[in-house]
Amino acid sequence: MSIRLVSNLESARRELLRKLIHVGLSLALFIPTSSYYGELARNVGFWGDATLATYSLLLVSVLFISTLRVRRPELKDSILRISRDARRTVLQHVKNVGPFHELVMGIEHTLDKAEQGFFTLVETVERDYEKRYGYVAAICAVASVLASYVFFGPVSTQRGIMALAIVDPLASVLTLYLPRKRTLVKHNVLSPPIAAAAYAVCLLAAGEKPDRALVLCIVSATLELVSPEDNLTLPLGVSAFHFIFERIGGFLKL
């Protein structure tokens, strides 16, 4: 097997892993829009807008982590060292109070592997520009969802998040694995329509009207195709179109 082929396979594996993580994190953004989420927040004594507060806190957190990644790249080694030292101190005390030597050693070994595996995963999926400039894509995604919620409300925001979770990763993965005989801007010519169709199916399953689902899937595929940063434009753009259709749907019979 040639070095070039091995490199291409490794790049494909890394991109697929990135997109799987992308889907998982995108779906997690649904949680604050749930009515149960607001009810839970009120039960614990928070009477503000729990969704707005969560997205705002999440944006600040991503900005903070991104800043640390750029300005303090050596911080990973410090975190590993402090974490392991603290863990070993605690486990040593446990080991000293009873016959738990083998159990403690097993726990320590498992935690070491999990910790190292996490940082290895981060390094595997990190792109070079993220190491230099921070997690721009994540910041854009959270900022876009936050703006969608502020301007267009929870239902439209859910449509935008759904586009982020389906259209973006599916189009990229299809382009990665389909033959690149014909391309459209940055994708295989078949990738955008397939991703749009998958999004339309999910919209219909969520109770969207067929004609509106058709328009939204076309909008989402177009935004993903032409946008320089689709994590920013896709949730906000789709949410905006859904909001407009909700308000003036009679004008276009949508």
Side-chain angles (χ1 to χ4, degrees):
M1 187 178 293
S2 67
I3 295 176
R4 183 176 180 179
L5 179 57
V6 172
S7 177
N8 289 339
L9 289 174
E10 179 63 21
S11 297
R13 186 185 71 85
R14 291 178 61 179
E15 186 63 19
L16 180 58
L17 184 57
R18 279 183 62 88
K19 292 307 177 182
L20 288 174
I21 294 173
H22 173 101
V23 171
L25 294 178
S26 298
L27 292 177
L29 291 172
F30 271 109
I31 297 173
T33 64
S34 167
S35 59
Y36 297 105
Y37 189 82
E39 183 178 338
L40 178 63
R42 288 189 292 274
N43 288 339
V44 298
F46 184 84
W47 288 95
D49 190 327
T51 306
L52 179 61
T54 300
Y55 285 148
S56 300
L57 180 60
L58 185 58
L59 179 59
V60 172
S61 300
V62 174
L63 283 167
F64 180 71
I65 294 171
S66 184
T67 302
L68 287 180
R69 182 67 185 93
V70 175
R71 299 179 67 89
R72 297 289 301 277
E74 77 284 356
L75 194 61
K76 183 197 77 172
D77 295 331
S78 299
I79 292 174
L80 278 172
R81 186 180 65 256
I82 293 171
S83 173
R84 286 174 179 171
D85 289 345
R87 184 169 65 246
R88 285 168 183 167
T89 298
V90 172
L91 292 176
Q92 184 62 42
H93 283 298
V94 173
K95 188 164 54 177
N96 290 337
V97 299
F100 304 116
H101 180 76
E102 291 186 3
L103 175 61
V104 170
M105 292 296 292
I107 293 174
E108 184 175 357
H109 180 67
T110 300
L111 292 175
D112 282 345
K113 287 182 63 177
E115 191 175 58
Q116 191 59 51
F118 170 76
F119 284 106
T120 299
L121 175 63
V122 171
E123 291 177 355
T124 299
V125 300
E126 268 188 329
R127 290 173 175 164
D128 290 337
Y129 75 83
E130 290 174 330
K131 297 176 183 178
R132 296 193 299 270
Y133 307 118
Y135 302 123
V136 178
I139 294 170
C140 287
V142 178
S144 184
V145 171
L146 172 60
S148 298
Y149 179 76
V150 170
F151 294 128
F152 309 123
V155 176
S156 296
T157 300
Q158 289 172 350
R159 301 300 188 263
I161 296 172
M162 192 183 299
L164 182 66
I166 297 171
V167 179
D168 177 13
L170 186 55
S172 297
V173 170
L174 287 171
T175 296
L176 189 63
Y177 288 98
L178 289 174
R180 296 184 66 86
K181 293 181 179 180
R182 297 179 61 188
T183 60
L184 180 63
V185 187
K186 61 182 179 181
H187 287 310
N188 180 290
V189 69
L190 296 176
S191 299
I194 294 175
Y199 180 48
V201 170
C202 292
L203 286 173
L204 292 173
E208 199 62 75
K209 296 179 180 178
D211 45 6
R212 189 179 299 174
L214 175 63
V215 174
L216 288 178
C217 77
I218 294 173
V219 168
S220 66
T222 303
L223 286 172
E224 199 282 331
L225 189 63
V226 303
S227 174
E229 181 47 71
D230 46 49
N231 282 2
L232 179 64
T233 56
L234 195 53
L236 187 59
V238 171
S239 298
F241 270 90
H242 182 269
F243 179 81
I244 292 171
F245 295 154
E246 283 283 308
R247 294 297 180 274
I248 59 172
F251 178 73
L252 296 175
K253 297 182 180 180
L254 295 173

